[in-house]
Amino acid sequence: MPLSLYQTVKSVITVRQVGEMYGMEPDRHGMVCCPFHSDSDPSMKLNDTYYYCFGCGANGDAIDLTAKLFDLNPRQAAEKLIHDFGLAPDKPPANAIALPLPKRGLTDEQWADIAYCLRVLTDYLDLLHDWRERYKPASPEEPLDDRFVEALHMTETIEHLTDCVAFGTPQQKADAATQLLSGSYLLMLEERTDRLALAKCA
């Protein structure tokens, strides 16, 4: 059975090769400045089979990276890679390789909002995970600590909110962040987490 278009691309082209083809210059650790948010220090890792940005969370395979760079759908991205890497010599090369990278879909302010939401949510989530272990009752007769009860009640909700901001398309992340920032819930979480962290250090 012949390989599909996507299988053909993924079987012969690495994510790092894609990055280098389209102007990225990975260091010896495979790190590059992320083209999807304002990035002065390299925060995106190019592995053979996937990329991941530790700053904005962008991730995917070779086809996803190409699609995101040039605002293409997955099939167009796969076809572009086949053309640009010379895997289909009977077809003319795609001319998009000569084009500058498209502007980011989100503003720096939107990426900053996403990063802020993730920081507050993950800080609180870390606290909940700690409480769940640290204050679990040693026996059925022991009264439940309020922090253990809070961890039981809140962990699933905060994990869901974190997933909403961390995964999906950039626009979905931005929408989730906007919704979170529209009320006072996130600010309350940040103040409470910071206060508890200070008390722990005191």
Side-chain angles (χ1 to χ4, degrees), residues 27-158:
D27 63 18
R28 60 194 180 93
H29 302 295
M31 299 295 294
V32 297
C33 286
C34 177
F36 308 127
H37 75 283
S38 183
D39 193 13
S40 55
D41 294 315
S43 63
M44 178 183 279
K45 177 70 180 290
L46 301 182
N47 296 286
D48 284 346
T49 57
Y50 71 95
Y51 68 93
Y52 181 78
C53 176
F54 294 92
C56 69
N59 63 89
D61 57 24
I63 293 172
D64 296 325
L65 180 57
T66 306
K68 195 171 173 66
L69 284 172
F70 296 100
D71 196 22
L72 304 172
N73 65 39
R75 181 170 183 83
Q76 290 171 328
E79 290 173 342
K80 173 172 173 51
L81 287 167
I82 282 179
H83 296 159
D84 292 352
F85 279 85
L87 302 181
D90 55 319
K91 295 182 179 181
N95 59 10
I97 189 171
L99 298 175
L101 296 181
K103 291 183 178 178
R104 297 189 299 275
L106 300 182
T107 64
D108 287 347
E109 184 178 358
Q110 285 174 304
W111 282 120
D113 285 346
I114 291 169
Y116 167 71
C117 289
L118 279 175
R119 180 180 63 77
V120 174
L121 289 169
T122 53
D123 282 353
Y124 183 48
L125 194 57
D126 287 344
L127 198 63
L128 293 177
H129 287 156
D130 179 56
W131 285 353
R132 196 162 182 162
E133 288 303 311
R134 187 188 299 265
Y135 300 110
K136 63 184 177 184
S139 68
E141 294 77 27
E142 185 180 330
L144 297 181
D145 189 286
D146 289 343
R147 289 160 291 193
F148 177 74
V149 174
E150 182 175 341
L152 289 181
H153 284 300
M154 295 302 299
T155 298
E156 189 174 345
T157 298
I158 300 301

Side-chain angles (χ1 to χ4, degrees), residues 19-30:
E20 291 172 340
M21 167 68 86
Y22 300 134
M24 299 180 191
E25 298 179 0
D27 63 18
R28 60 194 180 93
H29 302 295

